[in-house]
Amino acid sequence: MAATANKQSDFSLADSAADARCRIDAALETYTRLSPACPAQLAEAIRYCLLAPGKRLRPLLVLWSAEACGCTVEAAIPAACAVEMVHCYSLVHDDLPAMDDDDLRRGRATCHKMFGEANAILVGDALLTLAFGVIARDVHPAEVSVACAAALADAAGALGMVGGQADDLAAERGGSMEVPPLDSLQSIHDRKTGAMFTVSTTLGSLVAGASEEQQAALRTYGQKLGLAFQIADDLLDVEGSTAAVGKRVGKDRDHGKLTFPGLLGVDESRRRARALIDEARAAVAPFGSAADRLTALARYVLERNR
Ligand code: GRG
């Protein structure tokens, strides 16, 4: 993460993110010290994928949304790990030959390249179920745990990420386009990418016992940020380098995929992403300095090169 200094509060986003990532990674490491009852190769594959150097954006959103609502980041660590587990499962499955068929993820060989397709399917299954186990056991009190499980299930499931992925694959494979391309693209990304961003802020606010108003503000922030992130991801596919991004670039064009730069051009896509980031930052302005890290993270999403 670029060393973006926040002007108002004089902290470095890079240092804050590095510190938070250390805590997240330590917890993920502990959660994946699985008992010997887990087959050794499956355990190795789970750790290979989950402990790989991802940006940890979604867990950072959980922690910093909780912080914006006055909670310690420590209390939000289990929910943050659960979100990262679901995200990681989606990447492992997305990379499979039946879906995006990728060889490179987080700068390393993809799970199925290392461990075979059957193991990659099982790693995804294991991560998804592990996430809900973590929420059930480690998010307290019970009513917050239940609310987090329901929100994560909705975001990750058929009406959220899985549904967005299904429509994305259908569109790529020449499915009929019943709605205008831009609306369709936005709907796909609101579910495929945006839902996991939004639920990250929601889980942070739930753990913190936030008011309805705070929850709504963080939801808006998550929605705007998620869409801006996807536009930036599309732009990286056009302009980024495989070495920096850690996955194959140029594949959207090769697959004839519907993308923001493809529909709107690079300049207009960048303008829209900037406008969304401004809206995201405005949504959390009422939190004052408690949301400084969320504000700085929004800027990073726009400027990132990986
Ligand atoms: C298989 C159910 C299922 C869903 C797949 C997440 C996803 C849905 C597909 C990934 C394909 C893709 C490149 C989507 C674009 C945005 C995205 C989610 C990028 C990956 O997220 P990052 O950049 O990844 O936060 P790291 O590795 O940093 O965690």
Side-chain angles (χ1 to χ4, degrees):
M1 191 169 287
T4 312
N6 183 297
K7 288 192 183 65
Q8 294 107 40
S9 59
D10 204 24
F11 72 90
S12 144
L13 178 65
D15 290 347
S16 291
D19 175 63
R21 277 201 202 99
C22 272
R23 294 168 192 237
I24 295 159
D25 287 349
L28 291 175
E29 208 279 326
T30 305
Y31 280 128
T32 52
R33 259 185 240 152
L34 299 166
S35 107
C38 177
Q41 197 187 32
L42 180 61
E44 188 195 343
I46 289 169
R47 288 171 65 88
Y48 174 84
C49 297
L50 190 64
L51 306 182
K55 293 183 287 297
R56 311 289 189 230
L57 280 179
R58 295 153 194 81
L60 288 177
L61 285 173
V62 178
L63 299 189
W64 292 346
S65 296
E67 179 187 67
C69 302
C71 177
T72 63
V73 296
E74 221 41 62
I77 288 280
C81 289
V83 168
E84 182 65 16
M85 287 167 187
V86 173
H87 168 60
C88 185
Y89 123 73
S90 79
L91 298 180
V92 171
H93 280 192
D94 183 67
D95 289 335
L96 285 165
M99 297 213 197
D100 230 22
D101 193 10
D102 264 309
D103 296 352
L104 193 65
R105 170 69 64 186
R106 295 178 163 174
R108 303 175 173 189
T110 46
C111 186
H112 66 276
K113 282 283 160 191
M114 282 296 288
F115 298 97
E117 284 182 39
N119 278 323
I121 292 169
L122 294 171
V123 165
D125 296 342
L127 286 171
L128 180 59
T129 44
L130 186 59
F132 286 94
V134 166
I135 289 183
R137 288 191 186 88
D138 291 345
V139 174
H140 306 290
E143 59 270 24
V144 172
S145 171
V146 169
C148 286
L152 186 56
D154 288 347
L159 302 183
M161 181 179 68
V162 169
Q165 175 79 346
D167 277 348
D168 198 20
L169 290 172
E172 191 180 326
R173 289 162 194 182
S176 66
M177 200 75 75
E178 288 146 22
V179 279
L182 190 58
D183 291 352
S184 161
L185 185 63
Q186 187 148 331
S187 159
I188 286 170
H189 290 313
D190 280 344
R191 288 171 290 148
K192 179 180 149 182
T193 313
M196 288 300 291
F197 274 76
T198 307
V199 80
S200 300
T201 62
T202 298
L203 261 52
S205 65
L206 286 171
V207 167
S211 67
E212 288 293 334
E213 204 181 346
Q214 288 175 316
Q215 288 186 39
L218 286 167
R219 229 180 355 258
T220 302
Y221 169 90
Q223 280 161 352
K224 306 286 179 191
L225 190 73
L227 192 55
F229 173 88
Q230 183 60 56
I231 297 176
D233 206 71
D234 285 359
L235 286 165
L236 274 179
D237 193 71
V238 177
E239 301 178 317
S241 76
T242 297
V245 180
K247 63 183 181 184
R248 184 159 51 97
V249 294
K251 68 180 184 196
D252 292 345
R253 189 198 45 225
D254 296 349
H255 291 189
K257 258 189 140 153
L258 203 56
T259 65
F260 286 97
L263 275 180
L264 302 171
V266 166
D267 290 345
E268 175 60 14
S269 298
R270 195 165 291 121
R271 195 197 64 73
R272 287 203 185 204
R274 253 197 309 271
L276 285 161
I277 290 300
D278 288 345
E279 287 167 23
R281 290 161 66 109
V284 292
F287 291 90
S289 62
D292 277 350
R293 277 182 252 279
L294 292 178
T295 306
L297 189 67
R299 184 60 65 201
Y300 160 76
V301 159
L302 195 62
E303 292 164 358
R304 73 197 176 98
N305 67 353
R306 66 178 277 246

